Amino acid sequence: MTRMRGWIVSAAVVLAAALVPAGAEVGAGQGPAPTGQSPGLRQFSGSPIDVDYQSANLRTVLRQLSEIGGVNIVLDPSVPLDATVDVRLTQVPWDQVMDVVLRTGKLTYELQGSVLRVMTQEALTRERQEAAQLRDASRMMPALETLRVRLNYAAAPGVRDLLEQARIVSDRGTVDFDERTNMLIVQDVPEHLREIEQLVSELDRPEPQVEIEARIVQANRDTARALGVQWGFNGRVAPELGNTTGLAFPNRGAVGGRVEDQGPTRQGPNDPRAGVLEETATTINLPVTGATSAIGLTMGAINGAFNLDVALTALEREGSLKIVSTPRVTTQNNQQAQVTQGFQIPIQVVSNNTVTVQFKDAALKLVVTPQITAANTVIMHIELENGFPDFSRAVNGNPSINTQRAVTQVQVPDGVTTVIGGVVQTRDAVSNDRTPGLSKIPLLGWLFRRDTESTESQDLLIFITPRIIRG
């Protein structure tokens, strides 16, 4: 294989020396005519062959001759596709036949190693002109220089992406970075490097920080007022009291209260001679639950024939509760910050006979992203949530979470406090328990009713204060 390859190369060199047109410009691999030899008397050393081509395609003839001489040939697109050859030669060296065919087709060639490129003279001239222009442009093009910038505040990957996306680097330039040292490495022409260096110096500056303070104020107030009455009586007719009815039946009797399950509820002193159903019992039972004040009155006959017991209960309550939560967080400009204070509640979830435990946040959470403007104000995207468990409303042992949430975007001057949200909830309740008919008696109707009034109010206000920290 090596011997055959060397033979092909030798054949190509011989052909190159033999095919130099007289007086024409030679291509790569061509040389001048031997000393003392006229260009028109060039010697050909190829094997003699006989050829007879009649209107044969030029490209086909060239390929056949390259196969006879064992030469690698490439036909340039400039060689006509429809050109023909008419030639008849006997015992002429094949390289001379090739020379005749090239001259007849007004073609030239260029030898590149062991490959012979055949083309028109115009194509070869144009190709050399373009190569010369490219060499001249390369000599005039400025050399690339390298800029190394070690960043102090900005992240090198982010700056690299910005330079590439903004197309500040030329087509010849490249941008890379070293993550370990946070160094930016730029290779470009000097004109672009000056602009890049100025831009990087503007980007690599410390950003001011923002301290955000939120205050959640919860104020609960409740008032209650109630007035109730209890009274009972009994009246008896009995032989031991000396006030019999004078009849065989009924010989005795009693009238009294039966509020609870139609049974007697003892209100006060009773005659020890009275039966169970003859004791003083409650007739009107409208007391105030949890009363803080009460007064009673008991009256009765000396023989116990009639007893009356009255009790008045009253309640007046007023209370207030104030809860202030103040989450505070500091972050850089345009960087999200979050602060959370609270705990997680485990909740059991049953799915496909499998019990899993999920955790639900019940905490005070502040998530904020500040943006400092040139007007010394701060634009903030705020997510504020205040949640706490409510075991009084538990479901399957899992408490519900009472949540207060605010999501908004506001612009606030530096150091100024503003309200970003609030909820005011008020509940007024009035109830009247009364004895039908008797409660409407003028002046005495209050003895037969219970009046209760209560008011509850819940106020929720959310304040936010940004403070710019410049350093």
Side-chain angles (χ1 to χ4, degrees):
M1 185 68 182
T2 303
R3 183 179 303 171
M4 181 178 295
R5 183 179 304 170
W7 179 83
I8 292 174
V9 173
S10 300
V13 174
V14 171
L15 178 63
L19 297 183
V20 178
E25 181 183 1
V26 297
Q30 300 172 357
T35 306
Q37 181 177 336
S38 174
L41 301 176
R42 187 176 305 279
Q43 298 295 322
F44 297 96
S45 58
S47 302
I49 60 174
D50 296 335
V51 294
D52 186 3
Y53 293 112
Q54 296 181 2
S55 300
N57 184 269
L58 175 61
R59 285 175 168 261
T60 304
V61 171
L62 293 175
R63 291 177 61 88
Q64 290 178 353
L65 292 175
S66 67
E67 292 179 0
I68 293 173
V71 178
N72 297 321
I73 190 170
V74 175
L75 301 179
D76 189 78
S78 61
V79 177
L81 298 175
D82 54 353
T84 59
V85 175
D86 288 283
V87 61
R88 181 178 182 279
L89 299 172
T90 303
Q91 291 301 303
V92 177
W94 72 267
D95 47 357
Q96 186 176 1
V97 176
M98 177 76 78
D99 180 68
V100 171
V101 172
L102 291 176
R103 290 173 182 272
T104 304
K106 297 181 180 180
L107 300 177
T108 184
Y109 68 93
E110 183 180 38
L111 184 63
Q112 295 180 350
S114 61
V115 178
L116 190 70
R117 293 180 61 232
V118 178
M119 67 195 74
T120 63
Q121 184 64 45
E122 293 79 5
L124 179 60
T125 302
R126 184 171 58 254
E127 184 177 290
R128 291 179 176 177
Q129 289 176 351
E130 293 176 354
Q133 293 175 358
L134 182 60
R135 287 194 300 269
D136 294 340
S138 299
R139 286 194 295 267
M140 296 176 60
M141 187 175 298
L144 297 179
E145 296 183 3
T146 303
L147 172 66
R148 301 176 182 85
V149 181
R150 188 164 186 171
L151 303 177
N152 297 316
Y153 305 101
V159 177
R160 189 273 306 270
D161 295 341
L162 177 61
L163 293 177
E164 292 181 346
Q165 294 172 5
R167 298 182 180 179
I168 298 177
V169 183
S170 67
D171 296 337
R172 300 174 59 199
T174 58
V175 183
D176 207 342
F177 66 92
D178 179 38
E179 187 173 1
R180 182 180 62 87
T181 58
N182 199 33
M183 178 178 290
L184 195 68
I185 304 172
V186 184
Q187 190 176 39
D188 208 337
V189 296
E191 181 181 355
H192 283 261
L193 286 182
R194 289 191 293 270
E195 182 180 357
I196 292 172
E197 186 175 11
Q198 181 179 358
L199 177 59
V200 171
S201 64
E202 294 177 359
L203 294 175
D204 190 32
R205 293 181 180 178
E207 284 291 320
Q209 299 185 121
V210 182
E211 180 190 54
I212 298 98
E213 177 183 346
R215 279 180 293 171
I216 305 174
V217 180
Q218 298 172 266
N220 299 336
R221 294 183 298 274
D222 69 284
T223 59
R225 182 178 300 172
L227 179 64
V229 63
Q230 288 177 286
W231 60 273
F233 77 96
N234 70 352
R236 294 189 297 150
V237 177
E240 62 270 19
L241 301 178
N243 58 349
T244 62
T245 61
L247 301 174
F249 180 82
N251 181 259
R252 61 184 299 152
V255 178
R258 297 289 188 272
V259 171
E260 296 186 2
D261 299 329
Q262 301 300 319
T265 301
R266 303 187 63 171
Q267 279 291 110
N270 290 278
D271 188 348
R273 297 168 295 173
V276 175
L277 297 179
E278 296 175 347
E279 295 178 346
T280 302
T282 301
T283 302
I284 303 297
N285 188 30
L286 298 173
V288 173
T289 304
T292 57
S293 302
I295 187 172
L297 175 65
T298 301
M299 296 179 291
I302 192 172
N303 60 354
F306 184 81
N307 293 289
L308 178 64
D309 184 18
V310 179
L312 298 178
T313 55
L315 169 68
E316 185 170 357
R317 182 181 70 249
E318 181 176 354
S320 62
L321 173 65
K322 183 177 181 181
I323 301 176
V324 179
S325 303
T326 310
R328 181 181 302 173
V329 65
T330 302
T331 182
Q332 283 190 338
N333 186 26
N334 292 314
Q335 297 295 322
Q336 185 185 84
Q338 176 177 329
V339 59
T340 304
Q341 187 271 327
F343 53 91
Q344 292 183 323
I345 299 176
I347 298 176
Q348 291 186 350
V349 178
V350 180
S351 178
N352 297 328
N353 297 325
T354 302
V355 179
T356 59
V357 178
Q358 299 179 355
F359 290 88
K360 180 68 176 178
D361 289 336
L364 175 63
K365 181 187 299 183
L366 172 64
V367 181
V368 60
T369 304
Q371 177 185 347
I372 302 174
T373 67
N376 205 37
T377 61
V378 182
I379 300 175
M380 294 174 290
H381 179 75
I382 303 170
E383 297 181 16
L384 183 62
E385 180 177 327
N386 186 23
F388 54 90
D390 187 355
F391 289 92
S392 63
R393 295 180 176 85
V395 178
N396 296 330
N398 300 319
S400 60
I401 299 178
N402 192 341
T403 303
Q404 299 152 356
R405 182 183 295 111
V407 179
T408 184
Q409 182 168 319
V410 295
Q411 181 175 350
V412 184
D414 179 24
V416 175
T417 301
T418 185
V419 180
I420 64 172
V423 177
V424 178
Q425 182 178 359
T426 303
R427 185 180 69 176
D428 295 327
V430 178
S431 64
N432 301 110
D433 301 314
R434 62 189 68 184
T435 301
L438 298 179
S439 60
K440 298 182 180 180
I441 299 176
L443 299 179
L444 299 178
W446 62 273
L447 292 173
F448 302 93
R449 68 173 182 261
R450 176 176 57 193
D451 298 329
T452 304
E453 298 178 4
S454 64
T455 301
E456 295 182 6
S457 64
Q458 296 180 351
D459 298 340
L460 173 64
L461 295 175
I462 302 175
F463 300 87
I464 199 78
T465 305
R467 297 182 181 88
I468 301 176
I469 304 174
R470 304 184 186 275

